[in-house]
Amino acid sequence: MPPVSADAENPQTSLTPRLEELLQAHADGAFAGRLRKVYAAAAQAIGRLSDMDLVKYETPVVDSSPDLSLWEEMAPVIRDTVMDVNALLNVIREQFPAQPAANVADLVNSGRAREPAMMLHDAMTQLAQGVTQLGEAMRNPSVVSDRWTLLAEIQRFRARFREQVSNLVFETASSFGEVTRAQVVPGHEAEVKAAVTVRAITADLGRILAARLNKVRDAEPEDVQWNAQQLQTEMDAFGRTAAYRNLRAQDKRHIVEMRAEVGRLAILANPVRADLLKVVGELEAFVRGLAAVNQRQILIIHDREVWASCGVTLERALSLADSDAPVAAKMLAEAATRAQSLYGRASDLDAFLRKARKQPLAQLTGPELRVTIEIFQGLLAQLDVM
């Protein structure tokens, strides 16, 4: 069995309520029935193409020597990836056979060129090309002989296939009515949650490493080893998080390299402070670079929706702060809870959200309530989400 997540082991084949609603409302019942089969196959493909758990294949050190052993371990994953995509392609071919050129021309002339059937064939072409490219990559000696490069390529292709299948569902469903990805794309909510988790945990790791960097700078010679050991504990703890499991293979490679260096320094009786400063600085800079996760389209859309929702709630809360403080405070608390999924976007907002977890916002009254709402509004206004 390929090493994929639990979701992949139990692929989702049921459609979302909104997708079912669109299909049931379609005037052509036969057409909707054919499309339902494609959507079910797409849901199964998305589930089975879920992110792999790479922990099993990681090594404690990064060795540049050729390693063909992983190729043998990953061969079933590569095979199943191709089979999962081809299974969807076969359903599309069966339910929506290619139209003769004359019929396609008729569709173009009648202004219906972007009908779902044609969208499906466009997506099918992209997926088929991806399968071909995957095969070519797996025949490249420089890919299959390097453990981390191979993992990165497999992960990249599976993510791209999953994104293309998700787009297939969203774009065809959008032709029937107003929808969001969360409403129609199977597994979308889980993917957003994973991205939000990576952002939040790596933001906290960045804070921890920045603090550790300052402590190492100020450490006496006899405290350098203790700081190295503490850093090792912190990195080991990060290695057990969901965020670490969801990192890209190439990012994991850097983490593994630096964790190995930290481990080497931690067992030295008298490690050199300059050596520890170097590795902590590199780690801190690398983790800061992981903030690029904010540029993922899935998070851009999510953040924009949360930002707008919180803004509306806070406006209402502010208007009620004097006339109905209990309701206003409850709205403030609700907005703060909702905004927790923005954690990692900006350090000032992060500080507010950390405080909000411990502060009984729903019990605030008087000037403190109004000031807190206004501070929250100001922090949200500083976010660049558009």
Side-chain angles (χ1 to χ4, degrees):
M1 182 70 186
V4 294
S5 67
D7 287 341
E9 293 175 1
N10 298 286
Q12 176 183 352
T13 56
S14 60
L15 307 187
T16 65
R18 178 59 175 149
L19 208 49
E20 282 288 359
E21 179 184 336
L22 291 172
L23 291 172
Q24 291 173 10
H26 199 280
D28 187 338
F31 178 88
R34 291 155 57 204
L35 196 55
R36 179 178 281 104
K37 292 179 180 179
V38 172
Y39 285 157
Q44 183 166 5
I46 290 171
R48 289 190 57 81
L49 291 168
S50 295
D51 282 339
M52 299 182 299
D53 185 353
L54 303 182
V55 174
K56 176 181 178 181
Y57 302 103
E58 294 171 14
T59 56
V61 294
V62 176
D63 189 354
S64 60
S65 60
D67 178 13
L68 293 174
S69 62
L70 183 64
W71 166 252
E72 297 177 358
E73 295 179 61
M74 298 303 294
V77 180
I78 299 165
R79 177 202 65 206
D80 288 350
T81 299
V82 172
M83 291 177 63
D84 293 335
V85 175
N86 282 337
L88 172 59
L89 294 179
N90 288 336
V91 173
I92 297 175
R93 292 189 188 101
E94 291 171 3
Q95 300 303 320
F96 295 92
Q99 296 293 318
N103 289 354
V104 173
D106 290 342
L107 286 175
V108 173
N109 294 333
S110 64
R112 296 162 57 207
R114 298 305 300 165
E115 281 194 346
M118 297 194 69
M119 294 180 191
L120 290 175
H121 281 282
D122 287 347
M124 189 169 64
T125 298
Q126 291 182 356
L127 289 167
Q129 289 173 346
V131 171
T132 300
Q133 292 166 0
L134 172 60
E136 292 171 351
M138 294 305 105
R139 288 192 291 272
N140 186 335
S142 66
V143 172
V144 299
S145 63
D146 181 88
R147 173 174 293 266
W148 287 99
T149 301
L150 177 59
L151 289 174
E153 280 295 273
I154 296 174
Q155 191 179 49
R156 181 175 70 87
F157 273 102
R158 289 172 66 90
R160 191 170 75 177
F161 287 140
R162 194 169 62 249
E163 181 180 6
Q164 289 173 336
V165 176
S166 298
N167 289 341
L168 175 157
V169 175
F170 175 69
E171 290 170 6
T172 54
S174 296
S175 68
F176 301 131
E178 186 89 17
V179 296
T180 65
R181 289 181 181 272
Q183 290 175 327
V184 296
V185 176
H188 181 80
E189 185 177 345
E191 190 172 358
V192 170
K193 183 178 179 180
V196 166
T197 299
V198 168
R199 176 169 64 188
I201 295 178
T202 53
D204 279 337
L205 178 62
R207 286 194 309 111
I208 291 170
L209 291 173
R212 181 61 55 198
L213 187 59
N214 290 330
K215 290 178 181 177
V216 174
R217 286 196 185 106
D218 298 336
E220 298 296 331
E222 61 270 21
D223 294 329
V224 174
Q225 184 195 43
W226 180 85
N227 273 281
Q229 292 171 343
Q230 290 299 111
L231 177 59
Q232 184 178 36
T233 299
E234 289 158 356
M235 294 306 299
D236 287 346
F238 175 68
R240 293 190 293 270
T241 64
Y244 178 77
R245 289 194 299 274
N246 285 315
L247 285 180
R248 296 179 307 165
Q250 293 293 25
D251 290 336
K252 281 192 173 187
R253 180 176 194 160
H254 292 301
I255 293 288
V256 168
E257 286 178 324
M258 290 183 273
R259 281 175 72 182
E261 180 61 16
V262 171
R264 184 187 70 80
L265 294 173
I267 62 174
L268 295 178
N270 297 294
V272 178
R273 177 164 55 185
D275 293 342
L276 185 57
L277 274 173
K278 180 176 182 291
V279 70
V280 179
E282 289 175 351
L283 264 170
E284 194 268 340
F286 175 75
V287 171
R288 268 193 288 110
L290 293 178
V293 70
N294 285 317
Q295 302 308 313
R296 287 188 59 189
Q297 188 66 21
I298 193 172
L299 276 184
I300 291 174
I301 296 172
H302 163 270
D303 293 352
R304 194 173 294 152
E305 292 175 351
V306 173
W307 176 82
S309 174
C310 289
V312 170
T313 301
L314 291 175
E315 282 290 339
R316 293 177 59 197
L318 189 61
S319 69
L320 295 171
D322 296 327
S323 61
D324 196 340
V327 172
K330 182 180 178 182
M331 288 181 174
L332 169 63
E334 290 173 352
T337 298
R338 200 175 308 137
Q340 291 295 333
S341 64
L342 296 175
Y343 190 86
R345 282 271 333 191
S347 58
D348 289 344
L349 178 61
D350 291 350
F352 177 88
L353 294 175
R354 286 195 299 274
K355 184 178 179 181
R357 296 170 193 164
K358 304 174 183 178
Q359 186 179 12
L361 296 181
Q363 298 175 23
L364 295 183
T365 58
E368 186 180 11
L369 172 60
R370 175 174 286 275
V371 168
T372 303
I373 294 173
E374 291 175 344
I375 290 173
F376 195 1
Q377 285 180 314
L379 292 170
L380 289 176
Q382 294 173 19
L383 292 183
D384 182 12
V385 297
M386 304 308 290

